[in-house]
Amino acid sequence: MNGAHRVHRNAAVLSALAVLSASLILSCTPSPTYDVVIRHGTVYDGSGGKPVQADVAIRGDSIVGIGDYSKAHARTEVDATGLAVAPGFINMLSWATQSLIQDGRGMGDIMQGVTLEVMGEGESMGPWNDAQKAFDVSQQGDIKYPVTWSTLGGYMDSLVSRGISTNVASFVGATTVRVHEIGSINRAPTPEELERMRGLVRQAMEEGALGVGSALIYTPATFASTEELIELSKVASSYGGSYISHIRNESSQLPQAIDELIRISREAGIHAEVYHFKAAGKENWGLIDTAIAQIERARASGLNVTADMYNYTASSTGLDAIMPPWVQEGGYDEWVKRLKDPAIRKRVAREIVTPTDAWDNGYISTGSPDKILLVGFKADSLKKYTGRTLADVAKIRGKSAPETAMDLVIGDGTRVQCVFFEMSEDNVKKEMALPWVSFASDGESMAPEGVFLLSNTHPRSYGNFARLLGKYVREEKVIPLEEAIRKLTSLPATNLGLKRRGMLKTGDFADVVVFDPATIIDHATFDKPHQLATGVRDLFVNGVQVVKDGTHTGSKPGRVVRGPGYKGR
């Protein structure tokens, strides 16, 4: 054999040996054991205890271990060195009912670490009869959509079928079931109507509703008696659900309104929660101490009474909140008809500026029309007033503030969304430190683009949770980080009776947020609300990565989170 042949043969042998060696190495390399391992993070499990340095292992939609996984193999490896790893946050009051139809990414909340949106403040997206469906379509503003469902469960399923990044859950609205049976008039239901209302609550609970939600400063909810609410709550209680309420008065009659909620809790045998706990109006700020004492006495007596809050000194609602309930009876069309009557307009204008204990008047609580900011119009002709105060617009139009408010409601075809500056910063911090208070945006979850830019909003829609962790935890040290995380996760999950949510522990769903405690912060302001928060680097919903390196991945793994009474599959 000549030298050339020997060289060729030796090269072939060496090549074959190299291929064999590579094959052996590959065959000995273990296949990925986990779908995701989040490594080297500071893990806050949601209990409120001190964090630990650990890895989090995820397989499918669940957490399968927390500890040392340094030798484990995963399809996705996340290095969380120097970052906090926590359960996904729960938004106890979300108005993403329409914004998620428009954009299922839920950017405003997702970029703050929210993985569950809880809906249903008084009004829910079902059960609806034909008249309610038609009314919803008539009130649609910048966001348009067909109503293809009738039940609350049908609405929730429709969101998931469209594709959403967050999980969703809902209470059934006490107002919704009332309107379903007796419309918007001011009278008590007959025994037969009340039983049908109870039946609607029963149906919603079996579809997965979390309980009954009320909003008692608004018509026609304000026409409901305490006894009516107790009867609806008894149904929810029988399924292990809750009663949650925008109470009947958040200003001068705050103690009386808290008493009503406590009575409902006691007589219905139900967990009860106060929506967006506050004392509105400078002259009422001191009542927050009375309200706190009332709730703590109720808790000490064995009742499960809790509250939630947003982290701002301004609320947001419509101009209906400055007008007496009687003028709104019968719904929007009847309200407008009355506002066009000169004699009625004169009476309404007088009542708007007159202090009263009979109803919760937002005009009086703010103290001035220059503290009422107009942020949301349906009519294109009125959008020019977006971002102006009611006082500004009254001056432009040459009318009094009450007359201007009535004209705007007539002209817009809606109640007109506003921001009301009426709370105390000291109270915000005091409420935040209470161990039984969780957090809620009371806003939509939007993106700073497209149709969302046609109206303004309260900055809480983009910043409520990041503001807590940045301003109040890191900068002002109102509460420790581990306590803030507990109040964002396990506290609301426990109050709502949710299984496998709200904690980082083996067997729970993998809703996990990785964020930087040193940088997380809100950027949305009242002047420029459409600004995303920053500081959340990675986010997983049901084990799927939705945020990677601070950017939304486009994934939409959100599910319906059902309440304890769910009777489905």
Side-chain angles (χ1 to χ4, degrees), residues 133-141 144 332-333 378 413-414:
K133 294 180 188 180
F135 180 74
D136 181 79
V137 171
S138 74
Q139 292 293 292
Q140 291 173 15
K144 310 287 188 186
Y332 176 79
D333 290 342
K378 174 184 175 182
T414 75

Side-chain angles (χ1 to χ4, degrees), residues 383-397:
K383 286 184 181 292
K384 61 188 176 185
Y385 298 134
T386 301
R388 308 295 294 264
T389 67
L390 179 59
D392 288 338
V393 177
K395 184 176 181 180
I396 291 168
R397 295 170 73 107

Side-chain angles (χ1 to χ4, degrees), residues 63-66 69 504-508:
I63 296 168
V64 293
I66 298 173
Y69 287 84
L504 292 185
K505 63 181 182 181
T506 300
D508 278 16

Side-chain angles (χ1 to χ4, degrees), residues 268-437:
I270 196 168
H271 160 245
E273 177 148 322
V274 180
Y275 273 133
H276 40 64
F277 190 44
K278 68 170 80 69
K282 187 173 182 178
E283 66 279 12
N284 304 311
W285 290 348
L287 292 177
I288 199 67
D289 294 322
T290 303
I292 292 169
Q294 289 172 278
I295 292 174
E296 293 192 332
R297 282 196 301 271
R299 290 173 59 82
S301 75
L303 296 180
N304 186 8
V305 180
T306 56
D308 56 65
M309 64 177 293
Y310 45 78
N311 311 308
Y312 298 83
T313 57
S315 62
S316 184
T317 187
L319 287 174
D320 51 336
I322 74 170
M323 299 189 200
W326 63 263
V327 79
Q328 301 174 54
E329 181 182 356
Y332 176 79
D333 290 342
E334 293 300 313
W335 178 20
V336 166
K337 187 183 299 183
R338 294 188 187 100
L339 292 182
K340 291 179 178 180
D341 182 306
I344 291 178
R345 283 176 67 90
K346 186 175 180 180
R347 178 184 170 187
V348 170
R350 182 174 64 252
E351 292 191 15
I352 286 174
V353 300
T354 302
T356 179
D357 291 336
W359 54 284
D360 201 348
N361 185 342
Y363 191 93
I364 298 298
S365 295
T366 59
S368 171
D370 62 9
K371 294 182 180 179
I372 300 175
L373 188 68
L374 305 170
V375 298
F377 292 97
K378 174 184 175 182
D380 291 340
S381 61
L382 296 177
K383 286 184 181 292
K384 61 188 176 185
Y385 298 134
T386 301
R388 308 295 294 264
T389 67
L390 179 59
D392 288 338
V393 177
K395 184 176 181 180
I396 291 168
R397 295 170 73 107
K399 291 188 176 182
S400 70
E403 289 178 307
T404 300
M406 288 185 275
D407 288 343
L408 293 177
V409 168
I410 294 168
D412 196 54
T414 75
R415 64 184 193 144
V416 181
Q417 192 70 17
C418 307
V419 168
F420 293 77
F421 295 88
E422 56 184 354
M423 280 92 76
S424 155
E425 179 68 12
D426 288 343
N427 280 357
V428 167
K429 295 176 183 178
K430 183 180 294 186
E431 295 153 16
M432 190 176 291
L434 295 167
W436 37 267
V437 171

Side-chain angles (χ1 to χ4, degrees), residues 420-462:
F420 293 77
F421 295 88
E422 56 184 354
M423 280 92 76
S424 155
E425 179 68 12
D426 288 343
N427 280 357
V428 167
K429 295 176 183 178
K430 183 180 294 186
E431 295 153 16
M432 190 176 291
L434 295 167
W436 37 267
V437 171
S438 57
F439 297 98
S441 71
D442 196 7
E444 298 173 276
S445 183
M446 300 174 282
E449 60 188 59
V451 69
F452 298 116
L453 299 180
L454 297 176
S455 296
N456 273 5
T457 188
H458 192 299
R460 65 194 183 188
S461 293
Y462 286 94

